[in-house]
Amino acid sequence: QQQVKQSPQSLIVQKGGISIINCAYENTAFDYFPWYQQFPGKGPALLIAIRPDVSEKKEGRFTISFNKSAKQFSLHIMDSQPGDSATYFCAADTGTASKLTFGTGTRLQVTL
Amino acid sequence: NAGVMQNPRHLVRRRGQEARLRCSPVKGHSHVYWYRQLPEEGLKFMVYLQKENIIDESGMPKERFSAEFPKEGPSILRIQQVVRGDSAAYFCASSPLEGNEQFFGPGTRLTVL
């Protein structure tokens, strides 16, 4: 049972455009929703995270939007740059220091 | 200020051999997690350990796989009698005593011939 569904599987965006990646979850016990960025051959790196008590969190060009009633959250990358080309994973967790459930990943390519 | 360290970075084993993967968490972190990533897939949780204790091993295959996090030294993920299906990238993450943020290592890429 896949508890976190991520879409799209791949995304091509022009430089300067907005990249949008969506995730939906099933387990209402999830209360922590991080996004990770992974470059080829590297480990995932935490990009930004949100908890259900807020509907939006912004850090630089990266914004998470969270819709608790719909059990959905999304990552928006504003002014996308070629250096943003990577695979992005959403994840969800319950409690403190628990285990992350990952989405299947979105491969983002930002073209010139 | 070193992050999570994993070694070896690449490991090649023949079917039936043992694979031993090591993870040194961020200094001061007492929680360690192991995840497996198959090609073109997301990471799947395997096991969660604290010092000398296995807290959650619900994602670990029942046979051939074991993990430990001793009082001294790195965490070890051990795979006995490896099969081709074990070929994957294995990532270790650590977190501090409180909080959800997990910091990932660079991974060990296991290839089984």
Side-chain angles (χ1 to χ4, degrees), chain B residues 88-109:
Chain B
Y90 291 83
F91 291 96
C92 169
S94 73
S95 68
L97 185 60
E98 294 181 2
N100 297 92
E101 185 170 351
Q102 294 185 18
F103 298 84
F104 282 80
T108 293
R109 280 149 185 84

Side-chain angles (χ1 to χ4, degrees), chain B residues 12-80:
Chain B
V12 178
R13 285 288 178 265
R14 297 191 180 279
R15 283 179 294 170
Q17 291 184 320
E18 178 180 290
R20 192 171 292 227
L21 289 61
R22 294 176 184 76
C23 168
S24 296
V26 173
K27 187 177 181 181
H29 285 192
S30 58
H31 299 211
V32 165
Y33 312 80
W34 286 92
Y35 294 82
R36 178 165 62 177
Q37 184 177 34
L38 295 171
E40 306 300 321
E41 292 188 14
L43 287 80
K44 300 282 192 233
F45 168 81
M46 298 181 73
V47 62
Y48 163 34
L49 310 104
Q50 293 181 20
K51 284 286 187 182
E52 300 184 279
N53 288 302
I54 297 175
I55 307 303
D56 183 346
E57 56 182 348
S58 58
M60 194 105 94
K62 294 289 186 284
E63 297 179 352
R64 301 188 298 107
F65 286 72
S66 62
E68 63 177 10
F69 188 18
K71 186 176 180 180
E72 301 291 338
S75 175
I76 305 287
L77 179 68
R78 183 182 176 205
I79 311 172
Q80 295 178 291

Side-chain angles (χ1 to χ4, degrees), chain A residues 75-109:
Chain A
L75 175 69
H76 294 229
I77 305 174
M78 313 299 287
D79 187 25
S80 298
Q81 299 296 313
D84 297 330
S85 298
T87 300
Y88 293 80
F89 293 96
C90 63
D93 195 2
T94 61
T96 299
S98 182
K99 62 188 181 187
L100 290 168
T101 299
F102 281 85
T104 51
T106 296
R107 183 174 291 181
L108 171 66
Q109 182 181 354

